[in-house]
Amino acid sequence: MREKKKIEWWPIGIIAAMLTFMGSVLFAVSIMVGNEVSLTSEDYYAKEIAYQEEIDKSSRALSDDRKPILRRVAELDAVELSFPGRRRASTFTGKATFFRPSDPKQDFKVALDPDAAGLQAISLSGRSTGLWLVQLEWSEDSLSYYHEQQIIH
């Protein structure tokens, strides 16, 4: 009497796994080809010039005689800003933007108005404790400046 041939399942499993893998790769490639990704914008040149202006503002603010100093004053529950290079007779306007990375609803802005010595205190009472990102933008005598710093409240 003849013996029945036993079916080996491992080659079928390997072929099924390879077909599944190739099918999923082809599916992913077809999805990616169908999506249009534009890496440039139509006004990229104007955006590049604007970004270069931001870089120039930051580099002006980082010069030794202009770099603002942000210091956390725990006793006052405030942040003290110091503008050491500020001239008293200059025209000075600006704003400080406080960003809360963990909760954007708590972001707030304050107008910059330092005293004659170049100091300004901004109260943080009632604000959440943790990490804050402070962005300072100001202009003085027709020159613009930008400085960014993290503080822990």
Side-chain angles (χ1 to χ4, degrees):
M1 188 170 208
R2 255 178 125 183
E3 278 186 45
K4 279 189 169 178
K5 188 171 182 184
K6 190 173 181 184
I7 298 177
E8 296 288 335
W9 291 103
W10 65 267
I12 296 170
I14 290 174
I15 291 171
M18 288 176 61
L19 289 175
T20 303
F21 175 73
M22 288 190 293
S24 62
V25 167
L26 289 175
F27 176 73
V29 167
S30 67
I31 296 272
M32 289 179 207
V33 168
N35 290 336
E36 184 177 328
V37 178
S38 177
L39 297 178
T40 60
S41 63
E42 293 183 26
D43 57 345
Y44 68 93
Y45 186 70
K47 288 182 179 181
E48 176 64 28
I49 290 173
Y51 186 68
Q52 183 61 45
E53 289 173 2
E54 291 295 317
I55 293 171
D56 293 342
K57 287 180 190 179
S58 292
S59 63
R60 276 194 295 269
L62 290 178
S63 65
D64 291 335
D65 62 335
R66 294 277 178 203
K67 184 176 181 180
I69 300 167
L70 276 81
R71 186 172 70 90
R72 171 91 171 87
V73 182
E75 306 84 51
L76 300 176
D77 197 20
V79 172
E80 183 181 74
L81 301 173
S82 174
F83 295 92
R86 182 174 185 271
R87 295 182 293 278
R88 291 184 186 181
S90 67
T91 57
F92 186 96
T93 59
K95 67 178 177 179
T97 306
F98 287 75
F99 289 104
R100 179 82 172 148
S102 62
D103 187 6
K105 295 176 195 161
Q106 296 184 28
D107 296 353
F108 67 99
K109 295 180 182 180
V110 176
L112 292 178
D113 187 25
D115 60 12
L119 298 174
Q120 180 177 355
I122 299 173
S123 175
L124 294 177
S125 63
R127 306 285 179 181
S128 296
T129 58
L131 178 69
W132 288 87
L133 177 65
V134 182
Q135 293 178 339
L136 302 174
E137 293 181 69
W138 74 98
S139 61
E140 184 175 5
D141 293 336
S142 74
L143 285 176
S144 296
Y145 301 90
Y146 176 81
H147 180 68
E148 189 174 284
Q149 185 173 331
Q150 293 179 350
I151 60 167
I152 303 290
H153 167 52

Short mmCIF file of all heavy atoms in Angstrom, two decimals, residues 1 24 27 33 43 63 67 91 101 106 117:
data_model
loop_
_atom_site.label_atom_id
_atom_site.label_comp_id
_atom_site.label_asym_id
_atom_site.label_seq_id
_atom_site.Cartn_x
_atom_site.Cartn_y
_atom_site.Cartn_z
N MET A 1 0.82 -1.16 0.00
CA MET A 1 0.00 0.00 0.00
C MET A 1 0.88 1.24 0.00
O MET A 1 1.94 1.25 0.60
CB MET A 1 -0.87 -0.06 1.23
CG MET A 1 -1.87 0.96 1.22
SD MET A 1 -2.91 0.50 2.53
CE MET A 1 -4.34 1.09 2.13
N SER A 24 2.40 44.92 1.06
CA SER A 24 2.35 46.12 1.91
C SER A 24 3.32 47.19 1.43
O SER A 24 3.02 48.38 1.48
CB SER A 24 2.61 45.76 3.37
OG SER A 24 3.92 45.21 3.50
N PHE A 27 1.68 48.79 -1.58
CA PHE A 27 0.60 49.65 -1.13
C PHE A 27 1.15 50.98 -0.59
O PHE A 27 0.65 52.05 -0.92
CB PHE A 27 -0.22 48.93 -0.06
CG PHE A 27 -1.31 49.77 0.54
CD1 PHE A 27 -2.45 50.08 -0.19
CD2 PHE A 27 -1.18 50.28 1.83
CE1 PHE A 27 -3.45 50.86 0.35
CE2 PHE A 27 -2.18 51.06 2.38
CZ PHE A 27 -3.31 51.35 1.64
N VAL A 33 3.31 57.89 -3.69
CA VAL A 33 3.38 58.48 -5.03
C VAL A 33 2.15 59.34 -5.29
O VAL A 33 2.23 60.37 -5.96
CB VAL A 33 3.54 57.36 -6.09
CG1 VAL A 33 3.32 57.89 -7.49
CG2 VAL A 33 4.90 56.72 -5.98
N ASP A 43 6.75 81.91 -3.06
CA ASP A 43 7.46 83.14 -2.70
C ASP A 43 8.64 82.83 -1.77
O ASP A 43 8.86 83.51 -0.79
CB ASP A 43 6.50 84.14 -2.05
CG ASP A 43 5.81 83.57 -0.84
OD1 ASP A 43 5.84 82.34 -0.65
OD2 ASP A 43 5.25 84.35 -0.06
N SER A 63 25.00 91.17 20.50
CA SER A 63 26.26 91.90 20.70
C SER A 63 26.38 92.26 22.17
O SER A 63 25.39 92.46 22.87
CB SER A 63 26.30 93.14 19.82
OG SER A 63 25.30 94.06 20.22
N LYS A 67 22.91 92.97 24.50
CA LYS A 67 22.25 91.73 24.91
C LYS A 67 21.42 91.95 26.17
O LYS A 67 21.93 92.35 27.21
CB LYS A 67 23.29 90.64 25.17
CG LYS A 67 22.65 89.31 25.51
CD LYS A 67 23.68 88.23 25.65
CE LYS A 67 23.00 86.91 25.97
NZ LYS A 67 23.96 85.84 26.13
N THR A 91 14.54 106.26 20.96
CA THR A 91 13.16 105.82 20.85
C THR A 91 13.14 104.32 21.03
O THR A 91 13.83 103.59 20.33
CB THR A 91 12.59 106.17 19.47
OG1 THR A 91 13.40 105.57 18.46
CG2 THR A 91 12.55 107.67 19.27
N PRO A 101 5.13 76.14 26.58
CA PRO A 101 5.12 75.00 25.65
C PRO A 101 4.09 73.93 25.99
O PRO A 101 3.53 73.32 25.10
CB PRO A 101 6.53 74.44 25.75
CG PRO A 101 7.37 75.55 26.25
CD PRO A 101 6.46 76.36 27.13
N GLN A 106 -1.99 79.60 27.95
CA GLN A 106 -1.43 80.48 28.98
C GLN A 106 -0.46 81.52 28.41
O GLN A 106 0.07 82.33 29.17
CB GLN A 106 -0.72 79.64 30.03
CG GLN A 106 -1.64 78.73 30.80
CD GLN A 106 -0.92 78.00 31.90
OE1 GLN A 106 0.07 78.47 32.44
NE2 GLN A 106 -1.42 76.84 32.26
N ALA A 117 16.99 103.41 33.76
CA ALA A 117 18.16 102.56 33.95
C ALA A 117 18.14 101.34 33.03
O ALA A 117 19.06 100.53 33.04
CB ALA A 117 18.25 102.10 35.40
#
